[in-house]
Each structure stands twice: as C-alpha cells, then as structure tokens.
Amino acid sequence: TSGVRWSADLSSRKLLRSDALPERPAAPVVFEVCVAASGEVVKVMPVQQGAFDQKWVAQVVRSLKSWAFEPSGGETCGTLTYLPE
C-alpha cells in the first residue's frame, strides 16, 4: 500500500485485504497496530495522542481495522507509519 511503512514485525505478515485510507497526512503519523493470529486487526492506536485531527485519526483507525492479514501462529504487534505525499 503506497504511503505506508510497516515495522519489521508486521511486514512479515502478508496483507490479504486493505480498504483505502483517508487523505495522506501533512507529516508522518505513527500508529501502533496489533494483528491477531486469525489475521484480523485487533488494535490500532496513534502513538502521538492528540497531535492530529481526531476525525481524521478515527477514519484511519476505522480503515485499518477492516484490513486482513494472513493467519499466523500468534498475535503480531508493530507500527505503521502513514507518510505524507
């Protein structure tokens, strides 16, 4: 997915389904993301709380929670950095 950089832990999980993210941010925004063994995204949280428009953050969280990854042996957590244009 363009404009997105995954941490090493998460980049090892194959992305099966992704919904479009809202418009790109003006500066990089880092989200903590956890993916269950089933491949379902179970946690999405901005690392810098309150630094961004809350409505925009909620849209990003909603989009990411609908993503699906390949199942694996256990939960995987890491970060996703959403990059500006």
Side-chain angles (χ1 to χ4, degrees):
T1 305
S2 103
V4 166
R5 189 172 58 227
W6 295 100
S7 61
D9 302 345
L10 287 169
S11 63
S12 64
R13 300 277 300 261
K14 185 176 172 206
L15 186 62
L16 300 179
R17 183 184 71 233
S18 63
D19 279 5
L21 290 167
E23 66 191 54
R24 304 267 283 268
V29 185
V30 180
F31 291 86
E32 185 184 343
V33 179
C34 289
V35 179
S38 66
E40 178 187 2
V41 175
V42 290
K43 177 183 178 187
V44 179
M45 211 171 73
V47 172
Q48 305 113 309
Q49 291 292 337
F52 303 95
D53 173 38
Q54 292 310 300
K55 209 166 93 180
W56 179 84
V57 167
Q59 290 174 327
V60 174
V61 168
R62 198 166 40 250
S63 290
L64 290 174
K65 282 194 167 173
S66 68
W67 289 24
F69 290 80
E70 206 167 54
S72 79
E75 185 174 270
T76 310
C77 293
T79 58
L80 170 147
T81 306
Y82 195 20
L83 302 164
E85 291 289 356

